[in-house]
Amino acid sequence: MSSSAADTLASTARRIEHLLQQRLEPTHLEVRDESAAHIGHANAGKGHFRVKVVSTCFAGLAPLQRHRLVNDVLASLLASDVHALAMETLTPDEFFK
């Protein structure tokens, strides 16, 4: 992977983190770039990311609703810079058990 591609993916990871922090106010947030594991695959130029988001915003929501909320927050990036996004969405009670 070229350094410019790595810089772009790092920038995308920072933007993911910023948007999630801003909109969901998580008590815990992890953003991992897993793009290197997908070099040579279709759409490899776009990022493959995994996030773990712990937020009170998820209280009372079903898993699918939580994922839709994250997708809504990241919609602009999903349309342009992200090929795949794996996510774990938890409330603080679920995370700190």
Side-chain angles (χ1 to χ4, degrees):
M1 181 181 308
S2 71
S3 65
S4 64
D7 291 344
T8 299
L9 292 169
S11 174
T12 301
R14 285 190 301 273
R15 289 167 51 205
I16 289 169
E17 185 171 351
H18 174 77
L19 288 169
L20 292 173
Q21 286 283 0
Q22 184 179 30
R23 296 276 306 279
L24 301 180
E25 300 177 353
T27 57
H28 179 84
L29 176 62
E30 296 174 29
V31 178
R32 285 190 287 154
D33 177 3
E34 298 182 339
S35 302
H38 301 277
I39 292 174
H41 298 179
N43 293 308
K46 292 185 176 186
H48 292 70
F49 297 91
R50 179 174 301 276
V51 298
K52 179 184 282 189
V53 186
V54 180
S55 175
T56 57
C57 293
F58 300 138
L61 298 179
L64 182 59
Q65 292 171 309
R66 296 174 183 195
H67 287 209
R68 286 181 177 159
L69 180 58
V70 171
N71 285 338
D72 288 347
V73 169
L74 300 177
S76 63
L77 292 175
L78 293 172
S80 60
D81 299 322
V82 175
H83 174 66
L85 179 67
M87 64 183 90
E88 185 176 2
T89 53
L90 304 164
T91 65
D93 288 343
E94 294 166 338
F95 181 68
F96 293 111
K97 276 187 177 181

